[in-house]
Short mmCIF file of all heavy atoms in Angstrom, two decimals:
data_model
loop_
_atom_site.label_atom_id
_atom_site.label_comp_id
_atom_site.label_asym_id
_atom_site.label_seq_id
_atom_site.Cartn_x
_atom_site.Cartn_y
_atom_site.Cartn_z
N ASP A 157 110.74 86.04 99.94
CA ASP A 157 111.33 84.69 99.95
C ASP A 157 111.92 84.16 101.31
O ASP A 157 112.95 83.95 101.56
CB ASP A 157 112.49 84.52 98.94
CG ASP A 157 113.59 85.32 99.17
OD1 ASP A 157 113.46 86.29 100.06
OD2 ASP A 157 114.68 85.04 98.74
N GLY A 176 112.71 87.72 104.31
CA GLY A 176 113.63 86.86 103.77
C GLY A 176 114.82 87.78 103.08
O GLY A 176 114.74 88.98 103.16
N PRO A 177 115.74 87.10 102.53
CA PRO A 177 116.96 87.75 102.06
C PRO A 177 116.65 88.85 101.00
O PRO A 177 117.35 89.87 100.98
CB PRO A 177 117.71 86.60 101.27
CG PRO A 177 117.27 85.31 102.12
CD PRO A 177 115.92 85.63 102.40
N LYS A 178 115.62 88.71 100.22
CA LYS A 178 115.51 89.79 99.13
C LYS A 178 114.83 91.03 99.62
O LYS A 178 114.78 92.01 98.94
CB LYS A 178 114.74 89.19 98.00
CG LYS A 178 115.40 87.98 97.24
CD LYS A 178 115.06 87.88 95.86
CE LYS A 178 115.73 86.64 95.19
NZ LYS A 178 117.15 86.73 95.12
N ALA A 179 114.41 90.95 100.93
CA ALA A 179 113.70 92.20 101.40
C ALA A 179 114.59 93.33 101.35
O ALA A 179 114.18 94.53 101.30
CB ALA A 179 113.29 91.87 102.89
N VAL A 180 115.98 93.18 101.46
CA VAL A 180 116.89 94.24 101.51
C VAL A 180 116.76 95.23 100.23
O VAL A 180 116.83 96.39 100.37
CB VAL A 180 118.30 93.80 101.74
CG1 VAL A 180 118.72 92.86 100.64
CG2 VAL A 180 119.27 94.93 101.92
N LYS A 181 116.49 94.61 99.10
CA LYS A 181 116.32 95.43 97.89
C LYS A 181 114.83 95.63 97.53
O LYS A 181 114.51 96.69 97.14
CB LYS A 181 117.07 94.73 96.75
CG LYS A 181 116.88 95.46 95.38
CD LYS A 181 117.84 94.90 94.49
CE LYS A 181 117.69 95.65 93.11
NZ LYS A 181 118.57 95.13 92.02
N TYR A 182 114.04 94.47 97.84
CA TYR A 182 112.65 94.61 97.32
C TYR A 182 111.65 94.75 98.28
O TYR A 182 110.44 94.82 98.08
CB TYR A 182 112.52 93.26 96.51
CG TYR A 182 113.31 93.13 95.38
CD1 TYR A 182 114.43 92.32 95.29
CD2 TYR A 182 113.01 93.90 94.27
CE1 TYR A 182 115.18 92.27 94.08
CE2 TYR A 182 113.64 93.73 93.02
CZ TYR A 182 114.81 92.99 93.02
OH TYR A 182 115.58 92.91 91.85
N HIS A 244 119.79 88.08 85.87
CA HIS A 244 121.08 87.65 86.24
C HIS A 244 121.46 87.95 87.82
O HIS A 244 120.79 88.86 88.40
CB HIS A 244 122.26 88.55 85.56
CG HIS A 244 122.15 88.32 84.00
ND1 HIS A 244 122.49 87.15 83.33
CD2 HIS A 244 121.67 89.17 83.03
CE1 HIS A 244 122.23 87.38 82.06
NE2 HIS A 244 121.70 88.58 81.87
N THR A 245 122.19 87.03 88.45
CA THR A 245 122.61 87.24 89.79
C THR A 245 124.14 87.05 89.80
O THR A 245 124.65 86.36 89.15
CB THR A 245 121.93 86.31 90.73
OG1 THR A 245 122.20 84.94 90.40
CG2 THR A 245 120.47 86.77 90.81
N ILE A 246 124.74 87.81 90.82
CA ILE A 246 126.06 87.46 91.21
C ILE A 246 126.06 87.27 92.73
O ILE A 246 125.47 87.89 93.40
CB ILE A 246 126.96 88.60 90.92
CG1 ILE A 246 127.22 88.67 89.40
CG2 ILE A 246 128.36 88.47 91.53
CD1 ILE A 246 128.15 89.80 88.92
N ILE A 271 122.76 98.57 95.96
CA ILE A 271 121.78 98.00 96.75
C ILE A 271 121.67 96.46 96.46
O ILE A 271 121.17 96.04 95.28
CB ILE A 271 120.45 98.65 96.48
CG1 ILE A 271 120.47 100.09 96.81
CG2 ILE A 271 119.37 97.90 97.35
CD1 ILE A 271 119.22 100.74 96.86
N PRO A 272 122.32 95.63 97.21
CA PRO A 272 122.33 94.18 96.93
C PRO A 272 121.01 93.60 97.00
O PRO A 272 120.07 94.12 97.74
CB PRO A 272 123.23 93.55 98.01
CG PRO A 272 123.76 94.72 98.70
CD PRO A 272 122.96 95.95 98.57
N SER A 273 120.80 92.48 96.26
CA SER A 273 119.47 91.75 96.42
C SER A 273 119.51 90.69 97.54
O SER A 273 118.57 90.06 97.78
CB SER A 273 119.13 91.16 95.03
OG SER A 273 120.13 90.31 94.60
N GLY A 274 120.69 90.67 98.24
CA GLY A 274 120.85 89.87 99.41
C GLY A 274 122.01 90.25 100.16
O GLY A 274 123.07 90.56 99.55
N MET A 275 121.90 90.42 101.40
CA MET A 275 123.06 90.85 102.29
C MET A 275 122.95 90.13 103.57
O MET A 275 122.30 90.58 104.55
CB MET A 275 123.05 92.31 102.38
CG MET A 275 124.10 92.89 103.22
SD MET A 275 125.74 92.81 102.77
CE MET A 275 126.02 94.43 102.12
N ILE A 306 126.63 88.02 99.86
CA ILE A 306 126.20 89.18 99.18
C ILE A 306 125.81 88.83 97.66
O ILE A 306 126.47 88.25 97.02
CB ILE A 306 127.34 90.32 99.04
CG1 ILE A 306 127.83 90.69 100.45
CG2 ILE A 306 126.68 91.59 98.47
CD1 ILE A 306 128.91 91.58 100.47
N GLU A 307 124.40 89.18 97.43
CA GLU A 307 123.90 88.79 96.03
C GLU A 307 123.57 90.15 95.34
O GLU A 307 123.05 91.15 95.99
CB GLU A 307 122.69 88.02 96.19
CG GLU A 307 122.12 87.58 94.86
CD GLU A 307 120.77 86.92 94.92
OE1 GLU A 307 119.76 87.67 95.02
OE2 GLU A 307 120.69 85.75 94.88
N LEU A 308 123.91 90.25 94.10
CA LEU A 308 123.50 91.43 93.21
C LEU A 308 122.63 90.82 92.15
O LEU A 308 122.97 89.68 91.68
CB LEU A 308 124.75 92.05 92.66
CG LEU A 308 125.85 92.54 93.62
CD1 LEU A 308 127.10 93.07 92.86
CD2 LEU A 308 125.34 93.66 94.44
N ASP A 309 121.63 91.57 91.76
CA ASP A 309 120.85 91.12 90.64
C ASP A 309 120.43 92.25 89.73
O ASP A 309 120.53 93.39 90.17
CB ASP A 309 119.56 90.33 91.20
CG ASP A 309 118.49 91.20 91.75
OD1 ASP A 309 118.73 92.46 91.73
OD2 ASP A 309 117.31 90.81 91.96
N GLY A 310 120.08 91.80 88.58
CA GLY A 310 119.66 92.86 87.54
C GLY A 310 119.48 92.24 86.11
O GLY A 310 119.69 90.95 85.94
N TRP A 348 123.14 79.29 99.11
CA TRP A 348 121.91 79.63 99.66
C TRP A 348 121.32 78.57 100.44
O TRP A 348 120.60 78.73 101.51
CB TRP A 348 120.88 80.08 98.58
CG TRP A 348 121.14 81.51 98.14
CD1 TRP A 348 121.36 81.89 96.85
CD2 TRP A 348 121.05 82.66 98.96
NE1 TRP A 348 121.45 83.37 96.86
CE2 TRP A 348 121.12 83.78 98.13
CE3 TRP A 348 120.59 82.92 100.23
CZ2 TRP A 348 121.13 85.01 98.53
CZ3 TRP A 348 120.66 84.26 100.71
CH2 TRP A 348 120.80 85.23 99.91
#
Side-chain angles (χ1 to χ4, degrees):
D157 61 341
K178 296 211 185 294
V180 60
K181 178 168 180 181
Y182 293 104
H244 303 286
T245 58
I246 287 184
I271 302 189
S273 54
M275 174 67 105
I306 304 178
E307 187 192 78
L308 306 171
D309 77 352
W348 277 119

